[in-house]
Every structure is written in C-alpha cells, then in structure tokens.
Amino acid sequence: MSLLRRLFRPVIELAPALARRAAAWRALPSLNDATTLAQARLVVVDVETTGLDPRRDRLLAIGACAVEGGRLHTGAGYEALLRQAIVGARENILIHGIGPQEQATGAAPEEALMGFLEFARKDLLVAFHAPFDQAVLDRAARAALGLRLLNPFIDLADLAPALCPEARLPHAGLDDWLAYFGLRAAQRHRAAHDAIATGELLLILLHRARTRGVVSVSALRALVERRANAGMGGA
Amino acid sequence: MLAPVMEFLRRHAPFDRMAESHLEFLAKRLRLGFYAKGEVITDPAAATARTFYVIKQGRVRGESDSQSGPAEDGAWELVAGECFPIGALLARRSVHTVHRAVEDTFCFELERDDFERLLAQSPVFHDFCTRRLANLLDQALRGVQASLAQEVSGDAALGAPLKSLVRRLPVACLPETSIRIALATMNAEHVGSIVVTDAVARPQGVFTLHDLLSRVTTSGVDLDAPIARVMTPAPLTLPADAPAYEAALLMASHGFGHVCVVEHGRLVGVVSERDLFSLQRVGMVNLSRSVARAPDVATLARLGRDVHRLVEQMLVQGASVAQLAQIVTLLNDRLTRRAIALVLADGGAPEALFTWLAFGSEGRLEQTLRTDQDNGILFTVPRGKTAEAVRTQWLPLAKRINQVLADIGFPLCPGNVMAGNPECCLSLDEWRTRFERWIDQGTPEHLLKASIFFDFRTIEGDDAPVNELRAFVLERCAANPRFLRQMAENTLRNRPPLGLVRDFVVPSGGEHPHTIDLKLQGTTPFVDGARLLALAHGLTETNTLARLRAAAHAGVVRPEEAEAWCDAYGFLLLLRMRHHQQQESRGETLDNHVDPDGLNELDRRVLKEAFRQARKLQSRLALDYQL
C-alpha cells in the first residue's frame, strides 16, 4: 500500500467493456457500518487455490453467496472456475479436486474476478480464515483488473468462538465448526459447496448475534476485532 | 452455484421427479433460513401464508391450532425434505398450524408468487401439492414407513452396527492378482464377491459374480489379466460402527449390492444386500420352523410374540402391506396349524375328515397385528353316522383349540364365530343349508354374517369340500340378485367421511370426538365393495386386493380403477397398522380411531384421496344396483 508499491504496480490495460465495469464497481458506495445486520447484505466467499501461500499460490475457483434479510440466497450465488495459464502437475489437486482439464477450461481470470466483484459489490465479505481469502482475492484482482478489493472482511474463525465460547473451539477449523453445529457440506473443497456450508454457519452465528443484542454491522465487526486482538494477545 | 441445492432437491419427493428446468427455476429462487430450536416458523396469527418451506436439515413440529384436546394430540413432526404449509398456500389462507423448530433447523424458503409460478409450470409439483393422483399414495406409503423406521429403529436389527453383521473374514486380493486366481479364491471360499485391496487392506474395488458375466465372460478378457481391470473401483465403504440401515440406504442409492466395512480405513468385512435382508428372512424361516416344531402351547405363545415383532421390523424395512399380510398370514396359519396339531395329538382326532376354516380378515389374508379369532370346522360325515354325532366328537376339541389360540395371542371372538360354537362346526351339507338360508332370506343379521363367513378359506385339512362350498355360494348369489342388492345397500351405509368442501367430517362429540374410524369408514367400504364384486361376478378370490384385480381381469371394472382402489386400500391398511403399532408402543388398547389433524400434511391429503376412491367404488356399486 505504500506509495512506492502503488507507483510500481504494473498498469493494466483493460478492454473497454471491462474498464467500464471496473469503473462502475469502483464508483459503488462503500459499506455503511451503521447498517443493521437485518438489512445488510453479507457475501460469503470461499476460494480454492493451488496451495496455502496467498502470495504465491494461484486462485483456481471462487464460490460466493449472499445473506440478505437473514436468508442465504443459495441458488443465486456466484461461482467461477479460473482458467490457468500453467496447469500445475499435482499440487493440491487431491484437496480441491479440480483436475488439469477443468483448470484449463475455466473463465478468463479478469472475467471471473470482475464477475465476483460485481456480485460482492462493496458489501461485507465473510469467510472462514478470511485473511487468506482476502489476500488471494486482492492479489488476483490487482493482477487481473488493477482493482483493490476494498470490501471489509469478517473472519468466521474469530466470530464463531466469540459468539460460541461454550463450544470450546478457540482455534478450530471450518470442519470442526461444521461438525459442532451438525452441518454437512455435500462436498468439501468445492468452492460453491464450501461457500454454502460457510453460509449456513454464518446464519447460525447471525442468529446468535441477534440474541446477544448485536444488531449492527459495526457491532459485529467490533466483536470480531476484540476477539482477534484477544487471540493475538493470548498467543 | 445451483449444484448443491439441486443435489439436495433431487433426493426428495416430489422434486426428484420434477423436470430439470422446473427444478432449476426452484433452486434459483430458494433462500435458506435458520431457525434455532424452539423458534416458531409459521404462526397462525399471521395473515395469509406467504412462504413455502422445504426442510433442509433439522426437524419441525406442527401443532394444530385446535381447541379440542391437549396440543400433544394434534402434533406431528416433519423432517428433511418435507414441505409446508401447502394447504394454506393453495387456499391463500392463514396457516392453521404453528410450525416450530424442534431442533436447530434450516429451511429453504420460496415466496408465494414463485410457489404459484412453479405450481403453474410443473405438473409434478402441481400433483404433489394438490394430491389428485394416486401415485402420491406411494409417496405417503414411503412416508409412513419412514416414520415407523424412526420409531422402531432403536431396537430393530437394522439399527445394529454393521460389524455385528460381518460373519466372516473378508475375502480379498491385491489389484495385481489375476482374474483366474481371484475366481479360484471366490470358489474356494464360497463367496459371490471379492474385495480388491491395496497392501495395507484399504478397499480399492469390488468384483462380483455378476461382474464375471458382463465384464469377463462376454467381453473375452484374458483370465490372466489383473483383477483391477475388471473390478468396480471406488467401492462403497462404511465404518464398522455405522448402523445397518445406513448400508441399506447406501446400497439402495448407488445400486450396489455390497458395502465394505472398514475400521480406520482397513477392510474388516463385507456386508451384502442379502446379509441385510436375510436378517429378517432368516428370522422368518427360523420362526416358521420353530412354530412347526413347538412342543407345547407355552412355546407357541412365545413364538406368537416373535411373529409380532417380526412384522414390525418388516414394516420398517419397507415391505408393502400386501407382502406383509402374506407373511403374517403364513405365520399365523402355521401357528394355528400347530395349535390344532398339539390339541389333536393330545386329545385323539376323530376319524372323520375335517377342514379348519378361517373367516373374516383371516379368511381374506388381511390380518395385521392381533386379530380376533374367526374360525369354524367343516367335517365330512362317515357312512352310518349322523352329523350331530360327528359334531359331538369335534366340539370339545374345537373348544380346546380356540382356547389354545387365545393363549398364543389370538383373542376369542366376542361374536362367538369360533369352531367351538355348534353353529360353526358343520358338515358340508349343513354349511350349504345355512348359507343358502342367508342368501334367500337376507335379513340384516344374515347380511352381517355373510360379510364375515363368505370370506372363508382353508387353514388346515381337506380343500375339496371348501371349493365345493364356494362354488355353491357363488352360484346361489348369481341366482339371487335381491341378495346382492341388499348387500350393496348395506355396503353403501358406510360412507367415507368426506365433507362438501372435500375436508373430513368428524364427530364433534361422542366416544371418539374429532376422529375418523380407519376401519369402518376407511377399509370396510373397500372390503365390502370387493366382496360384492366377487359374489356378483363369480370370482373365487377372498383377498380384497385379489378380488379387485380379478374384477379388473374379468372386465367388470377398469384396470386403472381397480389399481387406484388397491392403492387407496393399501394406504388405509398401512395407516391402521401404524396406528396400532403406536398405540401398542404406548401400552394403549388398540382401536381404529385417528384424528386427521394429527396426521402429517401428506398423509392427510392422501387419506382424503383414499376416501375419494372409496366414494368412487361406492358410486360404481350404486350404479350397478340402482341405489
């Protein structure tokens, strides 16, 4: 984010249509933190990558769906498989299950990312281990579109233990939380299925938040930040 | 992004039968809501129903908003895949039911406008919601069975862990083993399948005798080729502590006959479809053998209770009512035969030939759980003896048999339709005379008796005089249209309890307020109607389903009509069976009174459809006899 890095960022030439879409997205109003959770649109996102290093590994797939008015719009989500210039040999294929053939037939990265940004608008993004998704998506959006992913993120890995301390799962993974609530992803490690499973977890957590009197986006974010800070202090 | 939702929908009725485009329309518009345990989903206080719900996960309790009786009576549960509140949405009225999440529950939700659009687009969905088609009966039958499964699975064998079904070490080989050696192994071990595992016993594939035909013999594969080439890869596996019904589900949904049982990923056994279902069949074979060998009444009584339990398990396993009735009949017949044999061995049988007859539901092969005795004796009179003398010999024995039957679980008949009653212990001539009198005179009492006795069937002894008696009855009936007309009149007195607005008519007071009598108002119209068709058209069958089908075969009724009646009748029988089972598990006296509001939406609607079919059958009879 330093000035230097901004200056040295390669300039990306977008096709006119894409440039218009990028400009339109940039012009969208930012999220108003005072919005109530009942009104807010929360976008659950899950990415599949070639590995666990957000600075190096490539983005393979994006799955996203929105919670609006307390309802998860399961059938109206966003899903994209990104075409890969180089198809990795075996890498993470066993985890994400996206084979070389599928990797070669996906959408152009700029198209996939623009589509995702348009779906996400400037709304609150939600993910489990959000910093990873945030870093991967931001890097990919910069590379493909020259856009920064400016949306605020909420990390369910922090929100879940903050709202459900009784679960005693302070540093648990998504699978642990899904199991704790008896949720089942029809298929894990497929972005669309994971996004929906994560969305179900979010619905439960939003219900918890409501019963705790957490009504606004800002209050929810504050809760997560407190937990994140406390977690760091404790570590 | 539709895939996860579509996959869910495809697993449930009616979505599993909907066209792809309609399913997609639905999937795109569904939203997922979360309801914490105890939370109200639909509330009668709200104006009109605006949302269609499909339970994705969890359980929802419907509490009908009735003033009569405590809420417990009118409560039922809905589970994953079930939909509500269809009636209120169709009628654009408020929901009469409080739907409440019993546990944390996710529901897919569809706006009413979209619900109506889907209704207009998809005939399958429309049928499902309006329940006008008989094929919905099938779905309800499955539903009834599922709910029985929930109730009984606790102690039923299908709830047992898979490892308890593994009877032997698995027969396995490595992927590189030649087909020839694999086959030799299977042959030596007398098994129909072999599991292909890797070096640390993790299942890689399965090869069955069935595969031998299709993949080896007919496609000319070299027997020295590795088994891995012809095996079915990625076999179904389940952990050893998974319940047996999970294996059944898995097999059913994948169409595979084998499941590998694993512990920590390593093969410990194989469970085949046959293992699962032989659970009960073995039980049955053993049971009927034990019955045939039972040394005394006490043993027979214990076996009678086992029969009972077996029936419950069969219900759970999804046996149809027809199958079930066959099995119950078979076992009850054996129990009866053994009881007769024990008494006769003890008391010395008269020389005269005899036949033990069953009447009523036993005669129709329609016994469900406990049914009262309805039996009689037909004896031949030896030369030089009188019927009276033979009867005197038989009566004490018959009485003893009746008592033994009561001891082993068939209650004495309150109407005294029992072989120990002199009126039910007759020679062929006497039976003929008695039946002829009923047919000729046709008093209300005669008609009532005819409806019990004319469904006679042989349980033990000589069949020939029984066939003679049947031919006689059919001949007399055909010659006496007045009798048939009177029977028709009698039959039409039991009207199905449907109101003008196609809802149920239930008494508001009396002994059983707000209930429907599943026997008198439900099954009896079909039983009586089928008997009338049989008597009028010379059909020798005594079973209701068989009579209806025979009537179709003889061209008396249309086959579609007959099938719809059979479906409806089967559903009513099953509902009654479930009702009895529930009462029994609660230690209550069995009766046939069911509160329609206590049924789930699907059952209730199908029940209405069943009554509508009863009405059709009755209109047909009314037309035949100008009533």
Side-chain angles (χ1 to χ4, degrees):
Chain A
M1 290 130 266
S2 72
L3 184 64
L4 267 180
R5 274 175 69 182
R6 270 173 163 276
L7 284 174
F8 282 99
R9 198 171 60 194
V11 179
I12 292 173
E13 289 283 340
L14 294 178
L18 211 51
R20 272 196 300 279
R21 290 166 66 189
W25 181 79
R26 227 185 252 118
L28 286 171
S30 304
L31 174 73
N32 176 359
D33 245 15
T35 314
T36 64
L37 286 173
Q39 294 168 327
R41 181 169 181 270
L42 288 79
V43 176
V44 183
V45 61
D46 185 78
V47 298
E48 298 300 329
T49 55
T50 52
L52 291 174
D53 183 349
R55 287 163 307 172
R56 254 197 302 279
D57 286 314
R58 282 168 293 115
L59 176 61
L60 291 174
I62 312 173
C65 52
V67 171
E68 259 182 299
R71 298 289 180 275
L72 182 66
H73 293 219
T74 45
Y78 180 78
E79 184 179 24
L81 205 61
L82 278 74
R83 184 157 64 223
Q84 303 296 316
I86 15 151
V87 171
R90 298 194 63 82
E91 293 175 317
N92 225 0
I93 286 173
L94 286 181
I95 301 278
H96 53 65
I98 304 172
Q101 223 168 8
E102 236 183 311
Q103 289 189 25
T105 55
E110 60 274 20
E111 192 51 50
L113 282 150
M114 195 64 242
F116 167 69
L117 290 177
E118 284 167 336
F119 178 79
R121 301 184 217 154
K122 292 278 178 66
D123 295 326
L124 185 59
L125 291 174
V126 180
F128 200 96
H129 290 320
F132 179 76
D133 299 73
Q134 187 169 22
V136 169
L137 286 166
D138 184 48
R139 185 167 71 96
R142 272 185 291 143
L145 300 165
L147 289 174
R148 298 296 316 262
L149 183 63
L150 298 169
N151 306 43
F153 263 85
I154 278 202
D155 190 353
L156 292 189
D158 287 325
L159 184 63
L163 285 168
C164 312
E166 74 279 8
R168 297 182 189 284
L169 292 170
H171 304 291
L174 179 58
D175 283 318
D176 299 313
W177 281 104
L178 294 182
Y180 178 71
F181 286 115
L183 299 173
R184 287 171 294 264
Q187 278 176 299
R188 279 283 278 126
H189 302 296
R190 292 298 267 187
H193 289 84
D194 276 0
I196 287 182
T198 312
E200 290 177 0
L201 177 59
L202 175 63
L203 286 184
I204 294 178
L205 295 175
L206 286 175
H207 186 276
R208 292 276 173 122
R210 198 161 64 237
T211 55
R212 293 274 194 89
V214 177
V215 290
S216 68
V217 171
S218 58
L220 194 70
R221 290 178 70 185
L223 196 68
V224 172
E225 270 150 34
R226 265 207 305 283
R227 155 79 203 180
N229 294 337
M232 260 188 251
Chain B
M1 198 64 197
L2 289 178
V5 185
M6 301 275 276
E7 280 162 27
F8 166 82
L9 291 172
R10 277 196 208 99
R11 284 199 302 271
H12 298 283
F15 313 111
D16 53 349
R17 290 174 298 121
M18 273 164 60
E20 198 69 6
S21 60
H22 300 146
L23 210 56
E24 211 176 290
F25 173 91
L26 174 63
K28 274 186 187 155
R29 286 159 181 79
L30 285 177
R31 290 158 184 203
L32 191 65
F34 171 72
Y35 297 90
K37 180 180 175 177
E39 212 173 326
V40 168
I41 305 172
T42 67
D43 184 353
T48 51
R50 308 168 80 141
T51 311
F52 170 72
Y53 299 87
V54 186
I55 302 173
K56 176 174 191 276
Q57 187 181 335
R59 286 183 299 146
V60 171
R61 186 181 172 84
E63 290 155 14
S64 71
D65 186 29
S66 65
Q67 284 78 28
S68 62
E72 288 295 312
D73 290 347
W76 66 95
E77 261 182 29
L78 302 172
V79 295
E82 291 193 275
C83 313
F84 61 92
I86 299 173
L89 282 165
L90 288 177
R92 291 177 164 244
R93 60 163 165 79
S94 68
V95 185
H96 292 169
T97 304
V98 182
H99 287 99
R100 192 187 294 277
V102 181
E103 57 187 33
D104 286 359
T105 296
F106 285 94
C107 292
F108 281 119
E109 302 173 3
L110 186 70
E111 299 284 323
R112 190 177 65 203
D113 286 351
D114 289 327
F115 169 81
E116 286 175 353
R117 250 173 247 144
L118 187 62
L119 214 53
Q121 282 178 23
S122 165
V124 174
F125 189 64
H126 189 270
D127 286 344
F128 174 76
C129 292
T130 52
R131 313 288 148 75
R132 293 296 298 272
L133 286 192
N135 64 10
L136 279 152
L137 289 168
D138 288 346
Q139 304 206 335
L141 292 181
R142 265 182 268 139
V144 171
Q145 277 154 357
S147 73
L148 284 166
Q150 278 188 338
E151 242 161 65
V152 188
S153 66
D155 51 43
L158 282 183
L162 276 181
K163 59 174 167 257
S164 70
L165 297 184
V166 174
R167 269 190 276 268
R168 54 175 296 160
L169 288 172
V171 178
C173 65
L174 292 168
E176 52 271 30
T177 312
S178 70
I179 298 172
R180 189 187 307 279
I181 293 190
L183 288 172
T185 313
M186 288 166 75
N187 189 39
E189 300 277 349
H190 303 290
V191 290
S193 64
I194 191 165
V195 183
V196 182
T197 63
D198 64 14
V200 291
R202 287 178 305 205
Q204 307 294 303
V206 171
F207 182 79
T208 68
L209 286 181
H210 187 249
D211 299 332
L212 175 65
L213 271 182
S214 56
R215 293 190 204 148
V216 181
T217 319
T218 54
S219 40
V221 172
D222 184 357
L223 286 184
D224 290 311
I227 191 77
R229 262 183 65 190
V230 291
M231 71 182 185
T232 307
L236 303 174
T237 58
L238 277 175
D241 53 1
Y245 65 79
E246 253 181 54
L249 286 179
L250 206 59
M251 286 178 191
S253 58
H254 288 80
F256 286 153
H258 297 85
V259 168
C260 296
V261 182
V262 294
E263 244 164 15
H264 308 296
R266 308 218 166 146
L267 184 70
V268 294
V270 174
V271 168
S272 72
E273 194 179 3
R274 201 174 300 160
D275 292 331
L276 289 180
F277 292 101
S278 69
L279 268 182
Q280 308 314 337
R281 210 178 311 137
V282 164
M284 205 180 90
V285 172
N286 274 343
L287 251 180
S288 63
R289 256 193 229 135
S290 317
V291 166
R293 283 195 300 246
D296 49 41
V297 177
T299 313
L300 218 48
R302 185 173 53 72
L303 293 169
R305 284 192 293 278
D306 288 349
V307 169
H308 211 67
R309 258 203 302 280
L310 180 75
V311 173
E312 274 182 8
Q313 291 182 353
M314 307 263 334
L315 260 176
V316 171
Q317 286 193 333
S320 75
V321 174
Q323 291 171 322
L324 210 64
Q326 269 181 349
I327 287 157
V328 177
T329 301
L330 181 125
L331 292 171
N332 281 352
D333 284 4
R334 295 209 173 177
L335 283 170
T336 307
R337 272 183 222 138
R338 188 61 193 158
I340 296 170
L342 284 175
V343 171
L344 294 190
D346 199 31
E351 309 141 50
L353 284 175
F354 81 104
T355 313
W356 184 271
L357 295 172
F359 305 115
S361 65
E362 200 185 345
R364 291 191 301 271
L365 302 94
E366 283 162 12
Q367 282 164 294
T368 50
L369 297 177
R370 304 278 144 133
T371 335
D372 290 349
Q373 291 183 45
D374 277 323
N375 48 45
I377 285 179
L378 185 160
F379 55 79
T380 41
V381 185
R383 229 171 251 287
K385 273 199 171 180
T386 63
E388 202 49 51
V390 179
R391 182 165 26 254
T392 317
Q393 276 188 299
W394 270 109
L395 280 177
L397 292 168
K399 277 185 187 147
R400 293 242 310 275
I401 294 171
N402 288 143
Q403 190 50 54
V404 168
L405 288 175
D407 292 343
I408 63 175
F410 302 98
L412 295 170
C413 173
N416 205 14
V417 180
M418 289 189 289
N421 172 357
E423 285 183 27
C424 296
C425 184
L426 305 174
S427 70
L428 177 59
D429 278 340
E430 288 172 331
W431 279 115
R432 267 202 283 243
T433 313
R434 195 171 180 214
F435 286 177
E436 188 170 33
R437 187 169 67 238
W438 298 348
I439 295 170
D440 287 346
Q441 296 178 357
T443 67
E445 203 200 331
H446 291 153
L447 291 171
L448 181 67
K449 282 185 171 159
S451 73
I452 298 168
F453 284 83
F454 283 9
D455 298 338
F456 58 87
R457 177 174 70 92
T458 305
I459 298 288
E460 175 75 329
D462 192 5
D463 223 6
V466 180
N467 293 335
E468 221 177 300
L469 184 60
R470 180 155 356 261
F472 173 78
V473 168
L474 291 174
E475 190 192 298
R476 293 303 304 158
C477 284
N480 196 331
R482 193 182 58 97
F483 172 72
L484 293 175
R485 188 167 196 278
Q486 283 171 321
M487 282 203 92
E489 263 173 5
N490 235 11
T491 301
L492 295 189
R493 267 189 209 119
N494 273 329
R495 292 291 186 172
L498 282 175
L500 285 175
V501 286
R502 315 188 60 80
D503 218 332
F504 300 108
V505 178
V506 289
S508 53
E511 210 178 326
H512 301 282
H514 210 261
T515 60
I516 282 170
D517 186 327
L518 283 179
K519 188 176 183 191
L520 198 65
Q521 296 173 300
T523 51
T524 305
F526 288 101
V527 171
D528 286 351
R531 180 185 308 108
L532 191 54
L533 287 172
L535 292 177
H537 297 95
L539 311 171
T540 55
E541 282 76 7
T542 59
N543 176 261
T544 299
L545 296 174
R547 278 171 167 167
L548 291 172
R549 290 192 178 121
H553 192 69
V556 176
V557 300
R558 285 186 298 120
E560 314 84 78
E561 274 179 329
E563 275 319 301
W565 294 338
C566 288
D567 286 345
Y569 176 65
F571 177 74
L572 290 164
L573 273 186
L574 195 58
L575 265 192
R576 213 177 113 209
M577 235 186 260
R578 177 179 65 175
H579 179 62
H580 284 173
Q581 208 184 33
Q582 287 169 343
Q583 286 184 319
E584 186 155 87
S585 68
R586 290 194 296 255
E588 299 167 4
T589 341
L590 306 194
D591 66 27
N592 297 306
H593 297 281
V594 164
D595 179 354
D597 286 347
L599 299 171
N600 72 37
E601 194 107 23
L602 183 62
D603 287 348
R604 203 160 55 224
R605 283 170 179 263
V606 178
L607 185 59
K608 265 186 226 175
E609 174 65 18
F611 286 143
R612 214 171 61 86
Q613 292 296 340
R615 197 148 68 177
K616 276 171 91 172
L617 173 57
Q618 293 195 337
S619 330
R620 159 65 198 253
L621 298 175
L623 200 66
D624 282 357
Y625 295 96
Q626 309 278 306
L627 293 168

